Amino acid sequence: MEPTEIWSKAFDIVRREVAMPTVWLAMQAARPLTIDGNYFVAALPVHEDYLAGHLQDNQTATAIEEALRTVTGRILAFRLITGETVADWEAQKAREAS
C-alpha cells in the first residue's frame, strides 16, 4: 500500500476519533512522503507549517499512530517535517544525525 493510500485511510479513522476540525485541516494539508524503517513521514509545505502543532500534540500524534497501525498492521512512528519531498526528509535526517 502506498503512503498516500495509507494516509487517506488513517485520516478517515482519525476524523472519527478526534473531533477537532483543525486537526482534520492539518491532516488534509500534510503530504504523505514515505515509510522509512519504522517511520511514517508526512510533510507540510513551508506556507502551511503553522498547522504542524495540530498534528504534533501528544493526543493527536498518538491517534495518528494508532490509525496507521490499524491501516498497515504494523507499528509506525509518525514524523512530520517541513518540506514537500523525500529529499527534504533525507535532509532532516542528515541534520539530526550531525
Side-chain angles (χ1 to χ4, degrees), residues 25-26 28-31 43-53 80 82:
L25 176 66
Q28 289 174 320
R31 288 153 176 79
L44 281 171
V46 172
H47 68 277
E48 294 180 314
D49 193 44
Y50 67 96
L51 295 168
L80 183 67
T82 300

Side-chain angles (χ1 to χ4, degrees), residues 1-94:
M1 192 177 317
E2 293 295 316
T4 303
E5 184 180 357
I6 294 167
W7 190 244
S8 176
K9 290 179 179 194
F11 171 75
D12 290 340
I13 294 168
V14 172
R15 191 172 52 187
R16 289 191 303 267
E17 309 261 332
V18 179
M20 294 177 57
T22 53
V23 169
W24 308 341
L25 176 66
M27 284 189 75
Q28 289 174 320
R31 288 153 176 79
L33 294 180
T34 190
I35 295 174
D36 186 353
N38 291 322
Y39 292 113
F40 184 94
V41 183
L44 281 171
V46 172
H47 68 277
E48 294 180 314
D49 193 44
Y50 67 96
L51 295 168
H54 297 290
L55 300 180
Q56 293 174 320
D57 92 2
N58 286 336
Q59 182 180 8
T60 302
T62 299
I64 291 170
E65 288 175 348
E66 288 175 5
L68 291 170
R69 186 180 72 234
T70 298
V71 173
T72 65
R74 63 186 267 212
I75 296 171
L76 292 169
F78 175 61
R79 290 291 309 265
L80 183 67
I81 65 164
T82 300
E84 297 186 42
T85 66
V86 173
D88 295 326
W89 165 238
E90 295 297 333
Q92 177 73 30
K93 286 195 307 184

